[in-house]
Amino acid sequence: MSSNKQNEIALAAVKLFEQKGYRATSVQDIADAVGLQKGSLYHYIASKEDLLMQIAHQAILQFNEQLEEILAKEDTARGKLEQMIRTHLIMSIDNLETTTVLWREAFSLGEGPQEVIQGMTDKYLNLVADILRSGTETGEFNVTHPRITALAILGACNWVYRWYHPSGTLTAEEIADIFSKLFLDGLLAH
Amino acid sequence: MSSNKQNEIALAAVKLFEQKGYRATSVQDIADAVGLQKGSLYHYIASKEDLLMQIAHQAILQFNEQLEEILAKEDTARGKLEQMIRTHLIMSIDNLETTTVLWREAFSLGEGPQEVIQGMTDKYLNLVADILRSGTETGEFNVTHPRITALAILGACNWVYRWYHPSGTLTAEEIADIFSKLFLDGLLAH
């Protein structure tokens, strides 16, 4: 088993799942994309669902690992939130096809794998809610409903997979600045 | 042609598209759900894609009509934005299956229908950006990038289809209050 070939297969699958959707992509499509016979492809993958799980799991794992790195550093709640928004948007934008597959296609996974992905998504959400909670305790933030507020922030960040185009004029960093300003200061002129 | 039967078919399709996904739902599944032979179903629908378009179009039309109603009334930019957030969340939550189909499945439409849906989604976005723009002109808001800011707000509101459960403790109205507070005042304690 060549791990290069496995990477190639995963990359081809991401592209196909993003373009056609997971259900509309056949194992034959994936085999064609990497120049293998369908039978040979099964030397590298267990099933199409297994590939989807691998892609979704890797993506959500990376989101969680990045956030844990941010949380491990000494910083204010505000600093941690700004870092979270920045890395979340950069990760989403730098891996637009993967995040599209994660957010749009993972519901096609069977119950078990789907629960794993949902569990990791919930864990991420809880960590963001904790930033808001501890920031409110220290007096930095004024948040009455940390979980719902975290869902609002993450919804805004995740939605980027639907509208970001590399041809746009703003970088991921600039979008992160606009988002941070919105969430920290609000819209109202003071 | 009975319009009751057509409504029944559309409702059954929404349910199936939400649960199984559009691609995984067969015309036979829809026929079974409404107690028709597959052949008879085609008296009422042109194709499965036509049904998806009908559902998505009706949903995005309703979002637009609601927003136009809000904009037609005399109000501050702040008032209009609060109303938009409230009606957007209530519409999303009251029609959770339909909004799930709109946001998750409409990419499976052919190019033409997809452009129609995207055009109406863009129109809605532009109207929200206009609220932010005019609120900034009157000195109510402080928004440097109305379009990106509108995308953040709409992303947060639309994401609700992924996490809202009727078993939760908060109503759509309460979630709207939390979202409005976040977007208007921001997280920072003043």
Side-chain angles (χ1 to χ4, degrees):
Chain A
M1 293 247 225
S2 139
S3 136
N4 275 352
K5 201 66 187 172
Q6 282 178 321
N7 281 342
E8 195 191 333
I9 293 165
L11 285 173
V14 165
K15 247 184 218 316
L16 286 164
F17 293 168
E18 191 274 329
Q19 278 162 19
K20 306 177 60 162
Y22 167 73
R23 285 281 182 178
T25 301
S26 65
V27 172
Q28 186 66 59
D29 292 333
I30 301 167
D32 290 347
V34 296
L36 283 176
Q37 299 292 325
K38 193 168 149 182
S40 308
L41 186 67
Y42 281 113
H43 291 288
Y44 299 98
I45 66 162
S47 63
K48 190 176 74 158
E49 188 185 354
D50 198 59
L51 256 180
L52 176 59
M53 179 57 180
Q54 198 183 303
I55 293 161
H57 186 262
Q58 180 58 35
I60 191 71
L61 186 67
Q62 214 175 320
F63 275 115
N64 275 281
E65 283 177 351
Q66 281 185 160
L67 183 52
E68 273 158 22
E69 252 179 60
I70 291 165
L71 296 178
K73 284 181 200 145
E74 202 59 51
D75 204 342
T76 58
R78 178 196 178 132
K80 285 178 183 174
L81 190 78
E82 282 175 325
Q83 274 300 307
M84 185 280 290
I85 291 171
R86 184 169 314 278
T87 54
H88 194 107
L89 285 173
I90 291 172
M91 156 86 186
S92 299
I93 285 171
D94 284 354
N95 305 278
L96 217 47
E97 287 168 337
T98 307
T99 41
T100 301
V101 172
L102 173 63
W103 300 133
R104 197 188 62 199
E105 304 294 335
F107 88 100
S108 287
L109 289 167
E111 211 176 313
Q114 213 172 132
E115 270 173 26
V116 172
I117 301 297
Q118 191 55 51
M120 292 172 76
T121 308
D122 289 346
K123 191 181 158 199
Y124 191 94
L125 169 67
N126 289 334
L127 290 175
V128 175
D130 281 345
I131 300 175
L132 300 176
R133 211 169 276 120
S134 73
T136 300
E137 280 165 15
T138 61
E140 282 177 81
F141 294 154
N142 175 20
V143 176
T144 51
H145 293 79
R147 190 169 168 275
I148 300 291
T149 305
L151 283 164
I153 295 170
L154 290 175
C157 292
N158 288 333
W159 202 249
V160 79
Y161 89 81
R162 296 185 59 97
W163 57 264
Y164 181 81
H165 290 284
S167 61
T169 52
L170 296 173
T171 64
E173 294 273 351
E174 286 166 328
I175 294 169
D177 288 341
I178 297 166
F179 274 42
S180 283
K181 184 176 172 299
L182 169 64
F183 291 124
L184 290 169
D185 297 331
L187 299 165
L188 293 179
H190 295 293
Chain B
M1 291 247 227
S2 139
S3 139
N4 274 351
K5 199 70 188 173
Q6 282 177 322
N7 281 343
E8 193 191 334
I9 293 165
L11 285 173
V14 165
K15 247 183 217 318
L16 285 163
F17 294 167
E18 191 274 330
Q19 277 162 21
K20 305 177 62 163
Y22 167 73
R23 285 281 182 178
T25 300
S26 66
V27 171
Q28 186 66 58
D29 291 334
I30 301 167
D32 289 347
V34 295
L36 284 176
Q37 299 292 325
K38 194 168 152 184
S40 309
L41 186 68
Y42 281 112
H43 291 289
Y44 299 97
I45 67 163
S47 64
K48 191 177 74 161
E49 188 186 354
D50 197 61
L51 256 181
L52 175 59
M53 178 58 179
Q54 198 183 303
I55 293 161
H57 187 263
Q58 179 59 34
I60 190 71
L61 186 68
Q62 213 174 321
F63 275 115
N64 276 279
E65 284 178 351
Q66 279 185 162
L67 184 51
E68 274 157 22
E69 251 180 61
I70 291 166
L71 295 178
K73 285 183 199 142
E74 202 60 51
D75 205 342
T76 57
R78 178 196 177 133
K80 285 177 182 172
L81 190 79
E82 283 175 324
Q83 273 300 306
M84 185 281 289
I85 292 171
R86 184 170 311 277
T87 54
H88 194 108
L89 285 172
I90 291 172
M91 156 86 186
S92 300
I93 285 170
D94 283 355
N95 304 277
L96 217 48
E97 287 170 336
T98 306
T99 42
T100 301
V101 172
L102 173 63
W103 300 132
R104 198 189 61 200
E105 305 294 335
F107 89 102
S108 286
L109 288 167
E111 211 177 311
Q114 213 173 133
E115 270 173 27
V116 172
I117 301 298
Q118 191 55 53
M120 291 173 77
T121 308
D122 289 346
K123 190 180 158 200
Y124 191 94
L125 170 67
N126 289 333
L127 290 174
V128 174
D130 282 345
I131 300 175
L132 300 176
R133 211 170 275 120
S134 72
T136 300
E137 279 164 18
T138 60
E140 281 176 82
F141 294 155
N142 175 21
V143 177
T144 52
H145 293 78
R147 191 168 167 277
I148 301 292
T149 305
L151 282 163
I153 295 170
L154 290 175
C157 291
N158 287 333
W159 201 248
V160 78
Y161 89 80
R162 296 185 60 96
W163 58 263
Y164 181 82
H165 289 285
S167 61
T169 52
L170 295 173
T171 64
E173 294 273 351
E174 286 166 329
I175 294 169
D177 288 340
I178 297 165
F179 274 41
S180 283
K181 184 176 173 295
L182 169 65
F183 291 124
L184 291 168
D185 298 330
L187 298 165
L188 292 179
H190 296 291

